[in-house]
Amino acid sequence: LAGDGVVRTAVGIALLFGGGILALLLKYGRYLLGLYVGEGSAVLVPAHAYVHIRSFSMPTTLLYNVLQAALLGAKDSTTPLVAITVATVANCVGDFYLVVHRGMGIAGAAIATLAAQVLGTAALLGPARRKLFATRPERAALEQAGRSSSISAASFLSFAAPVLTLVMGKIAAFGVMTHVAVALP
């Protein structure tokens, strides 16, 4: 499979960065939220509870995005549609159960969203393995023919850097706009 090495590298980077974001949010989540909404804000404590729980979904969130993009690139739009449907239904059911029936509030909403993200990612894994990744015998045959399917993280990032810069710029711009809007009287 032509994109096997690219997808494998993207998956590895997504899991690595997801773990890094998880660690960052666990360690500095409250501080970052304080910068964002104001240290004395009434929403700081519930927002921190939500972010603390949701931070555990960062590796699966990034993995989901990589697999979805790769499947769409492989002209499979059905699998991502099924996965988002699974995640949406799980989130709605989880919110209804945890928030309404169990009275868990913001923590229940965060747990439901975390579970939905994991289930949506799980729905992508099987089809992604079959459609995107070469089997061990296929990889061995490629390597014997002198056509390795591996790609280095450095070459992948040199290709992805412009896209990552654009996305991070958008996130930063919307973050600044939201911060300014929150600070308005």
Side-chain angles (χ1 to χ4, degrees):
L1 298 170
D4 175 74
V6 173
V7 176
R8 283 180 188 280
T9 302
V11 163
I13 290 171
L15 292 173
L16 181 70
F17 276 56
I21 294 169
L22 166 62
L24 178 80
L25 289 174
L26 288 177
K27 185 159 176 85
Y28 300 108
R30 182 167 168 61
Y31 171 75
L32 293 171
L33 279 169
L35 292 175
Y36 197 65
V37 299
E39 197 55 49
S41 175
V43 300
L44 184 59
V45 171
H48 180 251
Y50 185 85
V51 167
H52 183 78
I53 294 167
R54 280 294 316 242
S55 65
F56 289 98
S57 72
M58 287 300 111
T60 55
T61 298
L62 295 182
L63 176 61
Y64 179 94
N65 289 335
V66 165
L67 294 177
Q68 180 186 41
L71 285 164
L72 290 172
K75 299 181 181 170
D76 176 6
S77 59
T78 304
T79 302
L81 179 62
V82 168
I84 197 73
T85 302
V86 166
T88 300
V89 169
N91 199 14
C92 289
V93 170
D95 280 338
F96 185 74
Y97 177 71
L98 295 172
V99 176
V100 175
H101 284 307
R102 298 289 306 263
M104 294 177 68
I106 196 84
I111 292 167
T113 306
L114 168 64
Q117 185 68 52
V118 170
L119 290 171
T121 304
L124 288 177
L125 287 175
R129 283 188 97 170
R130 288 189 301 278
K131 296 175 183 178
L132 300 173
F133 298 108
T135 62
R136 281 198 173 121
E138 289 171 331
R139 282 197 313 271
L142 281 171
E143 288 173 12
Q144 282 182 344
R147 298 181 305 165
S148 174
S149 66
S150 66
I151 180 172
S152 73
S155 65
F156 176 83
L157 288 174
S158 71
F159 168 77
V163 176
L164 291 172
T165 302
L166 178 67
V167 170
M168 296 306 280
K170 282 183 178 180
I171 290 170
F174 284 117
V176 168
M177 288 187 284
T178 303
H179 181 71
V180 169
V182 167
L184 291 175

